[in-house]
Amino acid sequence: MTKIWKLRPLSPLAPLLAQRMDLPLPAAQVLINRGISEEASARDFLNPRLSEITDPSLLVDMDRAVERIIYAIEHRQRITIYGDYDADGLTATALLLNLFSRLGIPVSYYVPDRLEEGHGLNREAIRKISMAGAGVVITVDCGTGDREEIELAERLDLHMVITDHHQVPDDFQIECPFVNPHRNGSSSPFGPLCGVGVAFFLAIALRRKLRKCGWFKHRAEPDLRAFLDLVALGTIADMVPLVGLNRVLTKTGIERMKTFHRPGFEALREITGIDPSSLGSDDLAFKFAPRINASGRLGDAGSGIRLLTTDRLSVARELARHLSKLNSMRQDLERAIFEEIEEKYISTSDLKGRKTLLFSGKGWHKGVLGIVASRLMEKYHRPVLLLSLQDGMATGSARSIEGFSLHRALARVSHLLDHYGGHDRAAGLTLKTSNIRTLSEEIERMAWESLGDSEPAPCLEIDAEVPLHALDLETVKRLEDLSPFGSGNPSPLFYSPGLTVLESAIVGERHLKLKVRQAGEIREAIGFGLAPYHPLDIGTSIHLVHTPGIHYWQGRGRVQLRVVDLEIGNGDAKRLVRKP
């Protein structure tokens, strides 16, 4: 779909903030666009400090959870970590496994098979864990809403400690300790935490209690900063807002990752060719996370756990190669389903008048439906639900746009569903195939209520109009101080009009590589997936919407514009809307 370019005006506060903070004007404007206009808040944002994170005991039930775990340790009860199969759940599981290992406490783990068992607690897994003799089960990134499974565990004399971050159903009441940031209310600083973030705060609270109990009088006390690399990966992979506590944890974790060489991450850096000195949030989001996620998506989550917990580089390298192969398989499966939907359904349908897209198919691999749904949502700017059909049941994933809450919508049609869970923008669901038509009708009706009558139109929120001469190497380095970028803190997006094309080429079959000039300044640009714009004739005038970055080669960096969208023409772009 053609995107509308919405350009923010230069704030009158930007020059003053730039002067007081010694920042380039574009960086000051981006801060203001993120709601940071005062010097003190800007300093806090640019220099997040781990020492100022919130007391974990303020999380509802955190102290109860720690007391139950301490009791298990003192009475030598077997502890099992029950994690989810995505990167958030796997990093959270690995974090607690590493913690208990350093404490010298025996622990095991269980990660359900995505294809056979699905998300969250399940009855067979609870029975298996019970038969193995576990006394305490600590969940990470799952458990919310699984009342029947928790009650089964209690009947089997399994003591549950639930830690999670998913939305809490209104009627979900359990007796065991239940740590979930959403229980603290919408204004809580813990609200944006993902599963591994909650696990990290559990580790802080547990270490503090063990310290008070004298546990470390004759034992080494673990440095929890060593786990921040896991927190950074899981947080970025789960696409939660990178603000507040999440910003502190991810920024510190990425810096830690550059110097603390966990064998699993060292192996991933080698196989992806990442320069450790330039490691950033994009590397974690697009190179590390897909490989970790591939293990769970294709039913081999154990490989991801072993990669994140091994202390042997040779083992890590072998696992990294295996996960890269799985990731390639995942990409092939994803591409096949996406193309089938485009050719079989979308090409023969009129999307006008439709607010949502719901498709189902036999044999679709459940592990990749979330990714395909995301791609369709981004392309058609509509909520998307994809369902895989098997034996009278439909299981799948959903992704949504701003303004339509999946969690709220699925809660309203819960009578049609066997199981559901997730967030406002991403969810999973299971239902009988006989309910699909009614589900589609109800979701469409709710989307009309929420989104109104206007045709869906994706927008690019542009931070500022910036000429090429203002994007030198030093300025771009200062812009990177605003990282890590992601949900809640998107990469700076700039508009540079009237550029002259000097070179145009295709790289990697799908990507457009350009060299452009404006008033004597020349910059290189790369547009991922923008190959259809080629060829651009030399001398053509174009407008770019882009994110400036630094491309490193043999230890040297140069400015490279990452093109998000472009338009051919003179004057202002036709799609440009200057916001008041």
Side-chain angles (χ1 to χ4, degrees), residues 104-115:
I105 300 168
V107 65
S108 59
Y109 75 93
Y110 190 94
V111 176
D113 185 293
R114 183 178 194 136
L115 307 180

Side-chain angles (χ1 to χ4, degrees), residues 101-141:
S101 175
R102 295 191 184 195
L103 293 173
I105 300 168
V107 65
S108 59
Y109 75 93
Y110 190 94
V111 176
D113 185 293
R114 183 178 194 136
L115 307 180
E116 300 297 327
E117 299 172 280
H119 172 80
L121 297 168
N122 68 82
R123 292 173 175 272
E124 276 309 304
I126 293 298
R127 293 189 178 97
K128 288 178 187 176
I129 295 170
S130 174
M131 291 176 64
V136 174
V137 175
I138 307 170
T139 74
V140 289
D141 193 32

Side-chain angles (χ1 to χ4, degrees), residues 155-175:
R155 291 197 298 272
L156 295 174
D157 204 28
L158 279 179
H159 300 277
M160 303 295 292
V161 174
I162 307 298
T163 79
D164 196 5
H165 73 114
H166 293 95
Q167 295 288 341
V168 183
D170 293 336
D171 61 347
F172 184 63
Q173 300 291 331
I174 54 177
E175 295 297 323

Side-chain angles (χ1 to χ4, degrees), residues 210-515:
L210 288 172
R211 185 188 296 150
K212 290 180 179 178
C213 294
W215 181 269
F216 301 116
K217 285 183 179 178
H218 306 291
R219 300 178 180 89
E221 185 170 318
D223 181 358
L224 299 185
R225 292 175 299 178
F227 303 144
L228 286 169
D229 54 351
L230 295 168
V231 178
L233 176 58
T235 301
I236 289 171
D238 214 51
M239 295 184 290
V240 290
L242 297 183
V243 297
L245 289 174
N246 282 341
R247 176 172 172 78
V248 175
L249 298 176
T250 53
K251 193 171 183 69
T252 310
I254 290 172
E255 292 305 311
R256 182 79 180 179
M257 198 179 289
K258 292 177 181 178
T259 56
F260 175 71
H261 300 295
R262 184 181 300 278
F265 291 150
E266 188 74 7
L268 287 177
R269 275 200 296 262
E270 291 177 356
I271 205 164
T272 55
I274 296 171
D275 182 344
S277 64
S278 63
L279 183 75
S281 53
D282 278 359
D283 296 316
L284 271 60
F286 301 116
K287 295 182 180 179
F288 283 18
R291 287 168 169 80
I292 299 296
N293 271 325
S295 65
R297 290 187 185 282
L298 301 189
D300 188 21
S303 296
I305 292 289
R306 292 193 296 275
L307 179 78
L308 298 173
T309 55
T310 184
D311 57 2
R312 295 172 56 192
L313 184 56
S314 59
V315 173
R317 284 170 172 157
E318 183 179 344
L319 288 166
R321 286 193 292 270
H322 173 64
L323 292 179
S324 290
K325 290 179 181 178
L326 287 181
N327 192 47
S328 295
M329 292 171 57
R330 185 271 304 170
Q331 291 171 324
D332 290 341
L333 290 167
E334 169 198 331
R335 189 179 304 110
I337 295 173
F338 183 87
E339 291 175 355
E340 179 183 344
I341 291 172
E342 290 262 83
E343 295 169 5
K344 186 176 180 180
Y345 297 107
I346 293 179
S347 66
T348 59
S349 302
D350 183 3
L351 298 186
K352 289 185 178 180
R354 289 288 303 177
K355 292 293 184 185
T356 61
L357 300 178
L358 189 152
F359 303 115
S360 59
K362 291 182 179 180
W364 285 354
H365 197 292
K366 291 179 284 187
V368 302
L369 292 185
I371 305 174
V372 179
S374 292
R375 288 185 60 191
L376 291 168
M377 178 201 69
E378 290 170 3
K379 183 172 182 178
Y380 297 103
H381 200 64
R382 289 165 168 81
V384 176
L385 294 87
L386 299 183
L387 301 169
S388 178
L389 309 179
Q390 184 177 357
D391 300 328
M393 298 298 293
T395 302
S397 296
R399 297 294 184 268
S400 188
I401 61 176
E402 185 175 354
F404 184 73
S405 168
L406 281 173
H407 186 269
R408 191 157 48 244
L410 293 178
R412 288 174 61 181
V413 295
S414 59
H415 59 285
L416 299 173
L417 309 176
D418 284 47
H419 184 80
Y420 75 96
H423 315 284
D424 289 340
R425 302 289 288 270
L429 66 158
T430 301
L431 69 157
K432 296 177 179 62
T433 55
S434 56
N435 288 336
I436 292 177
R437 179 182 292 275
T438 305
L439 172 67
S440 178
E441 293 171 351
E442 288 297 304
I443 291 290
E444 179 72 10
R445 181 181 60 79
M446 287 185 280
W448 276 94
E449 291 176 1
S450 299
L451 300 173
D453 297 338
S454 60
E455 185 71 13
C459 298
L460 292 177
E461 295 287 344
I462 303 171
D463 285 296
E465 180 176 334
V466 181
L468 292 189
H469 72 79
L471 296 172
D472 56 23
L473 191 61
E474 183 58 30
T475 295
V476 177
K477 285 181 178 178
R478 297 301 303 277
L479 283 166
E480 292 190 343
D481 290 341
L482 310 183
S483 67
F485 300 119
S487 175
N489 182 37
S491 298
L493 199 59
F494 297 137
Y495 169 61
S496 296
L499 311 182
T500 301
V501 175
L502 301 181
E503 294 179 12
S504 175
I506 297 296
V507 294
E509 297 183 359
R510 299 179 57 245
H511 314 310
L512 178 67
K513 187 174 182 180
L514 299 172
K515 184 176 286 187

Side-chain angles (χ1 to χ4, degrees), residues 8-39 42 46 463-466 478-479 482 494:
R8 295 174 182 263
L10 178 65
S11 169
L13 301 175
L16 181 60
L17 184 64
Q19 181 183 18
R20 288 182 172 177
M21 295 293 299
D22 190 27
L23 286 171
L25 185 59
Q29 178 66 35
V30 171
L31 283 174
I32 291 171
N33 292 345
R34 305 293 181 269
I36 301 166
S37 58
E38 297 180 356
E39 186 176 350
L46 292 170
D463 285 296
E465 180 176 334
V466 181
R478 297 301 303 277
L479 283 166
L482 310 183
F494 297 137

Side-chain angles (χ1 to χ4, degrees), residues 50-79:
L50 197 61
S51 59
E52 296 182 2
I53 62 173
T54 312
D55 183 351
S57 290
L58 296 178
L59 275 163
V60 174
D61 268 5
M62 178 61 84
D63 290 341
R64 284 186 65 210
V66 169
E67 290 290 346
R68 188 62 193 82
I69 296 168
I70 294 290
Y71 182 89
I73 293 171
E74 291 175 341
H75 291 78
R76 300 182 182 277
Q77 294 179 336
R78 183 170 176 176
I79 299 172

Side-chain angles (χ1 to χ4, degrees), residues 197-218:
V198 177
F200 183 71
F201 276 90
L202 175 65
I204 296 173
L206 181 58
R207 184 186 66 174
R208 183 171 62 187
K209 184 65 175 180
L210 288 172
R211 185 188 296 150
K212 290 180 179 178
C213 294
W215 181 269
F216 301 116
K217 285 183 179 178
H218 306 291

